[in-house]
Structures are given as C-alpha cells and as structure tokens.
Amino acid sequence: MLFRIAINKGQYFRFKIISQVVKNMSSGPKHVKYPLDVIIQPNDTPAVEVKTYEFCKQYTHLTTDERIKILKELALKYDFDKDTARKAASSYISLQDKSIGAQLKAAERLKSSLNPSYANAFSRIRKLDGGVKFLVDLRADLLNILPTSDYNDETTYYLKSLNNYLKEILSFSFNVGFLKLERITWDSSCYMLEKISEYEAVHPVRNWTDIKQRVGPYRRCYVFTHSSMPKEPIVVLHTALTEDISSSISSIVRQQKLHSEWESSKIVESLNENPAKIQAAIFYSITSTQKGLHGIELGNQLIKKVVREVLAEFPHISKLSSLSPIPGFKEWFLLELRKVTNGNSVISALFSEKERLFLKEIFSCYETNDMWNNLSSIIASNRWIKDDNLKEILKNPLMKVCAHYLYNEKRRSNALNSVAHFHLRNGAVLWRINWAADTSPRGLDNSCGMMVNYRYYISETEENSRNYMENYFITASDAVKTLLAPVFNKSSL
C-alpha cells in the first residue's frame, strides 16, 4: 500500500515539475537549444522527459528563421560521431578472419556507431502525447528548407541526412498495418468533416452543402487515420459512383445554382441510391494532408483498400477509373511554345498545316513565329476559352500535345507528371484524355481545362505496374495512341 502511494506521489510531483516548466518557459531559440544537449543523451530520466516536452512546446512557437537555426544545429551537431564510426569500421574489417561471433559483434558496434545522436531525441519525442505529429511537422519544416538550400554548403547535406532519417522512422510509424480505414459520411464528426474540407487540394469545397454532397448518396469518402493522430485524416480519397466513366468534373462536384443552399441540401438528403445506376467507381480526388509524410507511399494503399470496399458493396461494378487533373501541363506547354520558335520542340509536329493556317488567320499574322507567339499569349491568359471558334480549332492539337506530355515526357525514365506517375505506378492504364473537363480557373491554369482517366483493370494492374516500374513502359489505350501519332514512335520507351 505504501509502495503504491509512493509511486503515485512520484507521478504527481513529476507532473507538477512538467507543468511548472511549461508554464514558465520562454519561446526564444536561445532557450530551445539547451534542452537539445539533454534529450539526445541515451539514458532515460524524469529530467530528460521534462526537457523533451519543453523542447517540443518551445519549438512550435518559433519563427521560421528560428526553426531553421534549430534544425541546422540538430543536423550538424548531433549527427553520428565520425571518429567512433571509423574505429568501428576498422575493427570490423580487422576481424574478417576471426569467428563469426566476433564479426557479428563488430558489425553491431559499427551499426550502432552510425546511429545519429538525434535518434535518441526522436525516440523520446515519439513516446509523447502528440509526439508523432510533432515529428511529421518537423519534417515538413525540413522539406520547406531543402529546395532553397545551397548545395555548396555542407550543412545542406546534413539537413538531407536528417530528412532521410525522419522519413525512415515515419515510414515505420505510418506502415499501412498501423493505419485505420474509415468511411466519412454526413454523420461523421463535424471536426472530421471540417478537416476534410480544409485539406481538399484538388477541387476546393465551397460550403457545407458541397461537402454534404461529397459524402452523400452516390459518393464515397474514405480516409486513413493513425492512432497517434486519431482526429487527423492522413490521406483522403473521394469516389463517385456513376453509370459510366466520367469525362467532366462538373458532373461530379459542381451542382447547378438553381436552388438555394438549403434547398440543395434537402435534395441531397432525398436522394436514394439505385444500385442499377452504379456501374463505375470514379476516383476523382486524392489528397495527402501531411507534408511531413511526403514520399511515404500511402495513397496507393488507400486506393487498393477502397477498391476492395467498393467491390464488396457493389460486386457488379465493372469500371474503375480516376478522373485526374494534369498539374503542370500548361506551364510545360508554354515553355515548349517559347522553344518551338528555335526549332527545339516536338510540339510543332502536333499541329497540322491546316490547323496552323486557321491559327494564322485568327491571329491575322503571316509568319509562323508570330503565330506561336500569339498562341502563347492567348494560352497564358486563358482568353481562348471564351472564343468558341478558337476553342474548337485548338481541341485536336492540344489533346495531342497533352497525350505527348503524359506519355513521352520523362524524369529519370518515369512520367514527368506526378499524378500520371502515381497512377501508372499503381498499374493503371493511360485511358482517355478529356477536353474541357475542368474549365474552372484552376483547371485552365493547370492543364488548359483537360483532365485524364487512368483506368484500373484489376486483373492487369500487377503486370502494368511491374512493366512501368521495371521497364518504364506506359500502358496506354488505343484512343491515346491515336492521339500520339505521328510522333508515337518517338517515345523513349
């Protein structure tokens, strides 16, 4: 009984110490660096626990510049000890003729010597309430720093090493086995619905009626959550249940403004799903909500799980496809239009002689370079979308240019477009390019209003994925290959 009271008192006084530290601590960086010397130590003590909590609380109040200083100090000062690692490596090499037991012990010492000192701090932080989320946000800060870092400065390489270590430990924490699949409906918590609305990056949510439609009849919204961040959606996937594969986003997320918000809400409530009208599942928005988890593959796992859920609910569904944006296409196209005047772009071959003549007539110019310059100007400003004649003339060549961009343009042998890379790696087929599929300002700025269907044939996804990942081969439909002619043979595949 006395022993139990002593433990309870110890816990009580430790709580009082932590509370007092948090109450009195300052938010300046000069105060943050001192706990680092303590929390990187290998031994656990109540004082170390207090300092770890103190560091996390103080860090969240720092300015961006102050955070950069702390991250650089963490990366540089608390990396692995190079002298210890060299000695451990020499010891391991010198024992190659000794017993296997001696070699394995030396290998363990070498492995331990390569472990950075900040590993101890991260291990402690993970155990705190909210600690995993703190590490996710810490890595997000690192990812914000790295793109503008000077690679002539050795500090940048230490920051990259810190980033890689954080990615490794977060990959373990966010293994799909630790994630919970959850369907979001209108009956889900207001907090979760609000979070999903805030995080939606592909097709912004306008109001509560909009989100009600996206989680209502003929729609499925699934998220991954994690036990350490139970109220945070980690990845969000929106799916529309339709009669056929959608070619326009307006049929999915935009209601006609014929009713008031209250009337529209009532219409959504009155809809009853008719299974006979559900022949296709369209994945029209997938959002990874945590920048600190960038590069950790969660979206592909979510799609696989949602496919199983949808097919279990509607076994007769035969069509699985995305309706995806093409971010970066317009920017790439404008760059190619600047290059084409010097004869350095393949896109000139994608405009027929007839189409060039039409464009020269519309732009009232005789020189080909003037035509390209006028086209560049009107594409940049999105003015062409308001001219029905010009829109019809541009349809065929722009769809061919887009097909070329998705199929032929590469980065390190993979598809240049990140969304294309995501779906192709998952085993989807580059199936159809859709004209005027998203004529919102965002859609025009992303891809001149075009969207693309990546279709999933369940029996072929594994082979398609392997072909793409190992052979860099993109599986495309006949319709897309037709758009690629006559430059189809110029593919680098």
Side-chain angles (χ1 to χ4, degrees):
M1 182 68 179
L2 290 174
F3 179 69
R4 185 181 301 137
I5 292 173
I7 289 178
N8 289 339
K9 282 185 176 180
Q11 291 174 338
Y12 171 77
F13 285 116
R14 186 171 67 174
F15 173 77
K16 292 290 286 182
I17 291 171
I18 293 175
S19 299
Q20 190 63 37
V21 168
V22 173
K23 181 178 179 181
N24 296 329
M25 68 188 175
S26 167
S27 62
K30 63 181 182 294
H31 298 282
V32 173
K33 65 180 181 181
Y34 299 126
L36 282 176
D37 292 325
V38 177
I39 67 176
I40 57 93
Q41 300 302 319
N43 299 321
D44 282 321
T45 66
V48 171
E49 182 181 351
V50 171
K51 290 294 185 182
T52 303
Y53 186 79
E54 178 184 350
F55 168 76
C56 293
K57 292 292 289 184
Q58 290 184 5
Y59 181 87
T60 59
H61 291 91
L62 298 180
T63 66
T64 300
D65 288 342
E66 290 170 341
R67 291 186 183 194
I68 291 173
K69 290 179 182 178
I70 293 298
L71 291 172
K72 286 183 176 179
E73 180 181 358
L74 194 62
L76 280 166
K77 187 176 178 180
Y78 301 107
D79 195 28
F80 69 90
D81 187 285
K82 294 175 182 57
D83 289 335
T84 302
R86 288 191 194 98
K87 291 176 183 178
S90 297
S91 174
Y92 175 73
I93 293 171
S94 68
L95 293 173
Q96 294 308 297
D97 296 331
K98 303 298 182 180
S99 68
I100 188 65
Q103 291 182 43
L104 290 175
K105 284 184 179 180
E108 285 298 320
R109 287 195 295 272
L110 175 57
K111 187 190 302 183
S112 177
S113 71
L114 293 171
N115 213 28
S117 296
Y118 49 67
N120 297 319
F122 294 156
S123 178
R124 290 190 179 93
I125 290 171
R126 287 170 65 184
K127 297 174 186 176
L128 297 177
D129 184 26
V132 172
K133 180 66 166 72
F134 175 85
L135 293 180
V136 171
D137 293 340
L138 187 77
R139 182 165 182 253
D141 290 339
L142 264 175
L143 292 174
N144 287 331
I145 295 169
L146 287 172
T148 57
S149 296
D150 180 5
Y151 279 81
N152 292 319
D153 183 353
E154 67 175 16
T155 303
T156 299
Y157 295 94
Y158 283 96
L159 288 172
K160 284 186 68 176
S161 181
L162 175 61
N163 173 56
N164 291 337
Y165 185 83
L166 278 169
K167 179 182 177 181
E168 182 180 347
I169 63 174
L170 289 173
S171 295
F172 177 78
S173 295
F174 287 86
N175 181 287
V176 68
F178 299 144
L179 298 173
K180 178 185 176 183
L181 180 68
E182 184 179 344
R183 180 184 168 189
I184 305 302
T185 69
W186 189 242
D187 293 327
S188 299
S189 71
C190 288
Y191 183 85
M192 181 63 81
L193 289 168
E194 188 174 11
K195 279 290 182 182
I196 289 171
S197 300
E198 290 174 359
Y199 283 133
E200 176 56 35
V202 185
H203 306 291
V205 176
R206 296 168 298 172
N207 49 45
W208 280 106
T209 301
D210 199 356
I211 190 63
K212 190 171 188 177
Q213 181 196 31
R214 299 190 196 193
V215 299
Y218 296 102
R219 300 291 182 269
R220 295 294 182 270
C221 176
Y222 283 95
V223 303
F224 269 151
T225 57
H226 190 277
S227 58
S228 65
M229 301 162 57
K231 295 182 179 180
E232 284 280 340
I234 306 300
V235 191
V236 184
L237 176 63
H238 288 280
T239 305
L241 305 176
T242 62
E243 292 187 81
D244 206 351
I245 295 178
S246 304
S247 61
S248 171
I249 196 62
S250 61
S251 64
I252 295 177
V253 301
R254 291 181 177 85
Q255 293 178 319
Q256 297 296 320
K257 296 181 180 179
L258 300 177
H259 306 279
S260 67
E261 185 172 331
W262 181 84
E263 289 172 329
S264 297
S265 179
K266 290 300 180 183
I267 290 171
V268 171
E269 286 180 359
S270 67
L271 288 175
N272 291 314
E273 290 179 349
N274 180 357
K277 291 185 176 182
I278 298 174
Q279 301 295 326
I282 311 301
F283 313 121
Y284 67 91
S285 175
I286 184 165
T287 302
S288 180
T289 67
Q290 308 294 316
K291 183 171 184 177
L293 296 179
H294 177 74
I296 299 173
E297 302 302 336
L298 300 175
N300 57 346
Q301 296 296 330
L302 180 57
I303 284 182
K304 291 175 183 177
K305 284 185 172 288
V306 169
V307 165
R308 288 196 287 268
E309 292 288 322
V310 169
L311 291 180
E313 188 177 2
F314 303 101
H316 62 280
I317 282 181
S318 59
K319 301 170 185 175
L320 300 167
S321 175
S322 78
L323 179 60
S324 301
I326 314 171
F329 168 73
K330 179 180 170 180
E331 182 181 1
W332 171 87
F333 182 40
L334 289 172
L335 180 62
E336 291 300 308
L337 284 173
R338 289 194 289 272
K339 290 159 62 175
V340 77
T341 56
N342 298 320
N344 297 326
S345 175
V346 71
I347 67 169
S348 59
L350 301 172
F351 285 76
S352 70
E353 189 62 33
K354 184 178 180 181
E355 288 161 349
R356 295 189 197 196
L357 288 173
F358 275 137
L359 289 173
K360 286 180 179 180
E361 183 179 344
I362 286 176
F363 297 142
S364 299
C365 60
Y366 299 99
E367 296 296 329
T368 301
N369 280 357
D370 290 339
M371 179 205 73
W372 293 124
N373 290 333
N374 276 282
L375 179 60
S376 178
S377 175
I378 203 164
I379 290 293
S381 66
N382 296 330
R383 295 195 309 272
W384 62 273
I385 198 67
K386 298 177 182 178
D387 186 325
D388 291 339
N389 188 31
L390 186 56
K391 186 164 62 172
E392 187 59 31
I393 291 171
L394 288 176
K395 178 180 179 179
N396 186 55
L398 258 62
M399 287 182 70
K400 288 192 291 184
V401 171
C402 187
H404 165 82
Y405 168 75
L406 293 172
Y407 188 86
N408 288 319
E409 293 298 320
K410 303 294 173 58
R411 178 189 288 122
R412 297 175 183 172
S413 300
N414 293 317
L416 174 64
N417 184 267
S418 59
V419 178
H421 176 63
F422 172 81
H423 288 290
L424 294 170
R425 185 182 53 195
N426 290 343
V429 174
L430 178 55
W431 191 68
R432 185 176 67 193
I433 295 170
N434 303 293
W435 179 252
D438 182 5
T439 55
S440 68
R442 178 190 290 256
L444 292 171
D445 287 338
N446 271 340
S447 54
C448 300
M450 288 178 284
M451 299 186 76
V452 58
N453 298 118
Y454 298 99
R455 188 164 178 180
Y456 287 82
Y457 297 94
I458 298 301
S459 61
E460 300 173 12
T461 53
E462 186 175 342
E463 182 181 357
N464 291 342
S465 177
R466 184 170 59 252
N467 262 335
Y468 178 71
M469 297 301 292
E470 296 178 3
N471 305 318
Y472 310 113
F473 181 82
I474 294 176
T475 306
S477 68
D478 289 341
V480 171
K481 290 178 182 178
T482 299
L483 288 170
L484 288 165
V487 294
F488 183 78
N489 291 330
K490 293 188 179 181
S491 169
S492 60
L493 300 176

